[in-house]
Amino acid sequence: MALREKVYVLGSAITNFIGKFHPDFIWKKHPDFGKKENPSLEDYIALATKAAIEDAGIDAKEIKKGFVGNFAGELFSNQGHLGAVLAGAHEDFAGKPFMRVEGACASGGLAVISAVDAIQAGHDVCIAVGAEVQTTVNAKIGADYLARAADYRNQRSMDPFTFPCLFARRAKVLKEAGVVTDEDISKVVVKAYSNANRNPRAHMRAFKMSEEHAATASDKNPKFLQNEEYKDHMKVSDCSQVSDGGAAIILCSESALKRLGKDPADYVEFVAYGHATGPISGPADLTVLDVTTLAAQRAYEDSGLNAKDMKVAEVHDCFAVTEILMLEALGFAEKGKGAELVRAGETSLDGSIPVNTGGGLIAYGHPVGATGIKQIVEVANQILGRCGDYQVKNAPKVGITANMGGDDRTSVVTILRRDS
Amino acid sequence: MALREKVYVLGSAITNFIGKFHPDFIWKKHPDFGKKENPSLEDYIALATKAAIEDAGIDAKEIKKGFVGNFAGELFSNQGHLGAVLAGAHEDFAGKPFMRVEGACASGGLAVISAVDAIQAGHDVCIAVGAEVQTTVNAKIGADYLARAADYRNQRSMDPFTFPCLFARRAKVLKEAGVVTDEDISKVVVKAYSNANRNPRAHMRAFKMSEEHAATASDKNPKFLQNEEYKDHMKVSDCSQVSDGGAAIILCSESALKRLGKDPADYVEFVAYGHATGPISGPADLTVLDVTTLAAQRAYEDSGLNAKDMKVAEVHDCFAVTEILMLEALGFAEKGKGAELVRAGETSLDGSIPVNTGGGLIAYGHPVGATGIKQIVEVANQILGRCGDYQVKNAPKVGITANMGGDDRTSVVTILRRDS
């Protein structure tokens, strides 16, 4: 269903994404350890919100509704009820109607499309804020928390690291089918870090990833799964980061944009979205992202655009193999041909369809609830030419995002465009 | 803002609410202990969904979007990502766009108004499903989980039972101000159980609450707080139940209703809602529910109706004292005068404004995510004359609900009406 009323990106912000290996991340070997603390979940919500309002250049009172994207605040930070946290994030927010939405790693994308629906319903200026703090617990406990995005009762026992195991399972099937190689996976990883090294907000901005490091299992890059069947198909370097961070976007209707004295020609239009879910019990076919494929079909249909129109993409590379499947789900390659695009360099900054230009979940980082919002902000920033050292040349006019929850059980695909 | 398009209640369902003291609840002294298990969170989502579809008399494929209201599935049941759980709840649901929304104990109300917004956006038939399972852990652990609806960092330390303590604080202030007495609180409790005894779905349907029991602290009805300042102001009987259960409602636009061959005159209209949030750090004035007051003002304004038009109400009696404050927040009584309505019996089944006719959170039960949906379904059922032994005489034409999260930090007020 096409949008009844045009929607524009009025303002946005992304905080630094930090965690292990980021120079500012405070841990036991950091000189500030014991003196300073890393920002909290509440801090990230407030930081991203205030920066987005400043970017929009509006009075906070203009915001009619707000949505917080977060997956597991009640686990990592002992804090749920994040609509009320947002109500305390700005002095002019008390009383406003805010809520939290959740769809695992797609929580951020869901927050944005909730804002789009609210605008269609007449709440003409809305904010979506995403945040996650995951560094409060160790990796094994964190992996247990994140397994609540899978079918916990039936899938938790696969491996202490349930999600890496679920995607190692996909990698194995794809390799056995002969459509993805270990080298393809390494290429995705090296591109991610190379892009992140140009991005001052990226979690891994300071980490140099060589082709050899990405390609080789070693003490520094172990195969860390315990599951014997799948352990050969996942190395640390193949994974997205355990990051803290936040992102926010303010969307508004065309009439609100004009009321606020802005010229639509200066702004990026949010053209359409697709949203789909599949049963938590898991996918029927491990060689495709069928829920994302369905979400993409809906977004294309509602926008009147197709894969060939897309000039930049942010896709959900929770693991390197997922990025390859995403290329197929979004229609950039046929089934089984995604890796060919990677091999040909078409997804790099100067390729025909640059993908994850700021480093993706693998190297920009993956503060879960923020990710879906960050993706949309990144595409908007590419269209506006605001991406600095990782700006795609001749700023693209049209872009797409794909934000996925669990093992492709929730997917949100969005399309953004600027006409002028 | 008034709704752009009329919304109707197409169908609904409430499961039995069960827990301690319910005859069907399986625990160590139950004859089926070890042989059968209580329904899971996933079970309640599926049970409520299927029953609501049957009540609506539609093909499940008609549903365009869905929202799951749940507060703490990732804690009590190790399961988040409940949009994907809903996608698996019915054979025709795979691929549909579902998500979970959360606002602590107001999660159910938020799911319903998200459906209303989605209908305004053009998704003309939507489902809201609420569920919570809380009996998987003991009371102290459960209280810690629920404290994530408060400002955990700053309020958790008040008492092992944080929420009872937050409302004991309100009770103390109100008693010291001379506007509420212990006897008023007991009257609210006795009414709740009396209504629940007529309600076959109520958690406490089989528990007889005498005035003496409700009024007297005893071994069987202890003052259970440790906080010395507030412990005199909360007994077990003053509290809502730790319940498991689910509820679902299917809403649709007027044009969808007609497309489905239904006559709007046979259905209850969802007229308006108000939604507000306050900073998680807590209320400024303990003698009022200021966020609920604001939400009610919005619902009245958008509906063109006022407190005097309301003939039945479901309010968030998380504690007995809260019901008294709710009467003021919804405009049934002036500030400080809510208890007078209780003393005069005006909130009983045959009073001028029957409140919580099926037993409320105190005795119908409080499976957190289901509660806000249950309230709306209950008012719709009163309007339709479907409430059996607790049916208000001469079925009311107009009713209101107030669903609250945390210490009045999120509030959703809805107004329902039938014209014919």
Side-chain angles (χ1 to χ4, degrees):
Chain A
M1 201 185 62
L3 300 184
R4 288 177 168 187
E5 214 168 331
K6 281 190 176 188
V7 171
Y8 287 86
V9 179
L10 183 56
S12 65
I14 303 170
T15 73
N16 287 342
F17 287 2
I18 68 167
K20 200 175 162 186
F21 294 113
H22 188 287
D24 297 344
F25 179 65
I26 295 167
W27 61 301
K28 59 189 175 189
K29 293 191 181 171
H30 191 282
D32 287 339
F33 184 72
K35 295 177 223 162
K36 281 174 68 179
E37 291 189 0
N38 293 309
S40 67
L41 179 61
E42 295 87 339
D43 292 336
Y44 280 114
I45 289 171
L47 282 166
T49 296
K50 287 176 180 168
I53 291 169
E54 192 180 331
D55 185 55
I58 59 164
D59 190 320
K61 289 174 185 158
E62 295 287 346
I63 293 170
K64 305 292 178 20
K65 279 207 171 193
F67 301 88
V68 179
N70 171 265
F71 172 43
E74 49 284 84
L75 290 160
F76 287 108
S77 304
N78 294 325
Q79 188 63 58
H81 202 174
L82 299 179
V85 170
L86 181 58
H90 191 289
E91 58 188 12
D92 292 328
F93 272 5
K96 288 193 179 289
F98 295 148
M99 73 176 83
R100 178 252 198 130
V101 300
E102 184 267 322
C105 301
S107 299
L110 292 175
V112 175
I113 66 170
S114 295
V116 172
D117 269 16
I119 290 167
Q120 303 304 301
H123 312 282
D124 63 3
V125 183
C126 291
I127 189 167
V129 185
E132 204 89 34
V133 163
Q134 304 183 87
T135 60
T136 53
V137 298
N138 69 34
K140 278 217 174 164
I141 293 173
D144 183 54
Y145 291 171
L146 296 174
R148 287 154 170 85
D151 182 356
Y152 194 95
R153 287 189 297 185
N154 298 309
Q155 295 178 326
R156 175 64 185 126
S157 57
M158 283 178 79
D159 196 89
F161 292 92
T162 303
F163 267 96
C165 190
L166 284 165
F167 284 87
R169 184 171 69 163
R170 285 190 184 262
K172 179 174 190 277
V173 169
L174 291 163
K175 288 183 210 170
E176 287 173 355
V179 294
V180 170
T181 67
D182 282 317
E183 197 182 343
D184 300 331
I185 288 173
S186 303
K187 278 190 192 300
V188 170
V189 171
V190 170
K191 170 184 69 73
Y193 279 81
S194 166
N195 291 354
N197 293 159
R198 297 161 173 259
N199 176 4
R201 284 192 295 256
H203 181 159
M204 286 299 190
R205 66 176 166 84
F207 191 101
K208 303 295 173 194
M209 176 65 71
S210 66
E211 289 197 28
E212 192 192 343
H213 185 116
T216 318
S218 67
D219 284 355
K220 290 201 168 174
N221 189 22
K223 294 176 174 174
F224 59 97
L225 297 179
Q226 291 182 12
N227 184 308
E228 288 296 332
E229 190 175 356
Y230 302 121
K231 72 177 298 180
D232 273 344
H233 304 284
M234 188 60 63
K235 303 186 297 298
V236 165
S237 61
D238 303 339
C239 302
S240 54
Q241 300 307 313
V242 174
S243 311
D244 300 345
I249 190 166
I250 300 171
L251 298 168
C252 69
S253 67
E254 184 171 30
S255 54
L257 197 66
K258 291 176 179 169
R259 188 187 73 228
L260 293 164
K262 317 282 188 185
D263 180 354
D266 295 334
Y267 290 83
V268 174
E269 185 188 349
F270 183 104
V271 181
Y273 72 82
H275 169 204
T277 53
I280 193 80
S281 54
D285 180 350
L286 296 172
T287 66
V288 290
L289 301 176
D290 56 350
V291 169
T292 298
T293 302
L294 187 57
Q297 285 169 351
R298 288 174 182 164
Y300 285 137
E301 187 181 328
D302 291 355
S303 67
L305 298 169
N306 62 49
K308 289 197 174 59
D309 296 317
M310 301 301 124
K311 300 303 174 197
V312 64
E314 283 278 317
V315 308
H316 200 91
D317 56 326
C318 46
F319 301 92
V321 69
T322 323
E323 179 163 321
I324 296 170
L325 290 177
M326 279 275 166
L327 301 175
E328 301 171 16
L330 298 187
F332 301 146
E334 290 177 21
K335 180 169 169 4
K337 307 284 189 190
E340 291 180 15
L341 280 185
V342 174
R343 285 171 215 153
E346 299 296 354
T347 59
S348 63
L349 280 184
D350 55 1
S352 60
I353 178 67
V355 170
N356 294 342
T357 61
L361 282 61
I362 289 173
Y364 199 146
H366 183 27
V368 178
T371 287
I373 298 176
K374 182 268 289 182
Q375 292 179 321
I376 294 166
V377 174
E378 283 291 293
V379 166
N381 282 341
Q382 283 289 359
I383 292 173
L384 291 168
R386 306 208 292 186
C387 286
D389 286 349
Y390 64 96
Q391 177 65 44
V392 173
K393 279 189 196 114
N394 306 316
K397 297 279 191 194
V398 187
I400 190 167
T401 70
N403 179 209
M404 191 179 89
D407 188 4
D408 191 41
R409 304 294 81 207
T410 294
S411 193
V412 176
V413 172
T414 80
I415 294 174
L416 301 160
R417 176 180 58 194
R418 190 179 181 198
D419 286 328
S420 55
Chain B
M1 202 185 65
L3 300 185
R4 289 177 166 186
E5 214 170 329
K6 281 190 176 188
V7 171
Y8 288 87
V9 179
L10 183 56
S12 65
I14 303 171
T15 73
N16 287 342
F17 286 3
I18 69 167
K20 199 175 162 186
F21 293 113
H22 188 286
D24 297 343
F25 179 66
I26 295 168
W27 63 300
K28 59 187 172 188
K29 294 191 180 170
H30 191 281
D32 287 338
F33 183 72
K35 294 177 227 164
K36 282 174 67 180
E37 289 190 0
N38 292 307
S40 67
L41 179 60
E42 294 87 338
D43 291 336
Y44 279 115
I45 289 171
L47 281 167
T49 296
K50 287 176 180 168
I53 291 169
E54 192 180 331
D55 184 56
I58 59 164
D59 190 321
K61 289 174 185 157
E62 294 288 347
I63 292 169
K64 305 291 177 25
K65 279 208 170 192
F67 301 88
V68 179
N70 172 265
F71 172 42
E74 48 285 84
L75 290 159
F76 287 108
S77 305
N78 294 325
Q79 188 63 57
H81 202 174
L82 300 180
V85 170
L86 181 58
H90 190 287
E91 58 188 11
D92 292 328
F93 272 5
K96 287 192 180 289
F98 296 148
M99 73 176 81
R100 179 251 199 130
V101 301
E102 186 268 320
C105 302
S107 299
L110 293 174
V112 175
I113 67 170
S114 295
V116 171
D117 270 17
I119 290 168
Q120 304 303 302
H123 313 282
D124 62 4
V125 182
C126 291
I127 190 166
V129 185
E132 204 90 32
V133 162
Q134 305 182 88
T135 61
T136 52
V137 298
N138 70 34
K140 277 215 174 162
I141 293 173
D144 183 54
Y145 290 171
L146 296 174
R148 286 154 171 85
D151 183 356
Y152 194 95
R153 286 189 297 187
N154 298 309
Q155 296 178 326
R156 176 64 186 125
S157 58
M158 283 179 79
D159 196 271
F161 292 92
T162 303
F163 267 97
C165 191
L166 283 165
F167 284 87
R169 183 170 71 164
R170 286 192 183 260
K172 179 174 190 278
V173 169
L174 291 163
K175 288 183 208 171
E176 287 172 357
V179 295
V180 170
T181 67
D182 283 317
E183 198 182 343
D184 300 331
I185 288 173
S186 303
K187 278 190 193 300
V188 170
V189 172
V190 170
K191 169 183 71 72
Y193 279 81
S194 166
N195 290 355
N197 293 159
R198 296 161 173 260
N199 176 3
R201 284 192 296 255
H203 181 159
M204 287 298 190
R205 67 177 166 82
F207 191 101
K208 302 296 172 192
M209 176 65 72
S210 67
E211 288 197 29
E212 193 191 341
H213 185 116
T216 317
S218 67
D219 284 355
K220 291 202 166 171
N221 189 22
K223 294 175 174 174
F224 60 97
L225 297 178
Q226 291 181 13
N227 184 306
E228 288 296 332
E229 192 175 352
Y230 302 122
K231 70 177 298 179
D232 274 344
H233 304 284
M234 190 60 66
K235 303 185 298 299
V236 165
S237 61
D238 303 339
C239 301
S240 54
Q241 299 308 312
V242 175
S243 312
D244 300 345
I249 190 166
I250 300 171
L251 298 168
C252 69
S253 68
E254 185 171 27
S255 54
L257 197 65
K258 290 176 179 168
R259 187 186 76 228
L260 293 163
K262 316 283 189 186
D263 180 354
D266 296 334
Y267 289 83
V268 173
E269 185 188 349
F270 183 103
V271 181
Y273 73 81
H275 169 204
T277 54
I280 194 78
S281 55
D285 180 350
L286 296 173
T287 67
V288 291
L289 301 176
D290 56 350
V291 170
T292 299
T293 302
L294 187 57
Q297 286 168 350
R298 289 174 182 164
Y300 285 137
E301 189 182 328
D302 290 355
S303 67
L305 299 168
N306 62 49
K308 289 196 173 61
D309 296 316
M310 302 300 124
K311 300 304 174 197
V312 64
E314 284 278 317
V315 308
H316 200 91
D317 57 324
C318 47
F319 301 93
V321 69
T322 323
E323 179 163 320
I324 296 169
L325 290 175
M326 279 276 166
L327 301 175
E328 302 171 16
L330 298 187
F332 301 146
E334 290 177 21
K335 180 171 168 5
K337 306 286 188 190
E340 291 180 14
L341 279 185
V342 174
R343 285 172 215 152
E346 299 295 354
T347 58
S348 62
L349 280 185
D350 56 1
S352 59
I353 177 69
V355 171
N356 293 344
T357 60
L361 283 60
I362 289 174
Y364 198 147
H366 183 27
V368 177
T371 287
I373 298 176
K374 182 267 289 182
Q375 293 180 321
I376 294 166
V377 174
E378 282 292 293
V379 166
N381 282 341
Q382 282 289 356
I383 293 173
L384 292 169
R386 304 207 294 185
C387 286
D389 286 349
Y390 63 96
Q391 177 64 45
V392 172
K393 281 190 196 111
N394 305 318
K397 296 280 192 192
V398 187
I400 189 168
T401 71
N403 179 210
M404 191 179 90
D407 189 4
D408 191 41
R409 303 294 83 207
T410 294
S411 193
V412 176
V413 172
T414 80
I415 294 175
L416 301 161
R417 176 179 59 193
R418 189 180 181 198
D419 287 327
S420 55

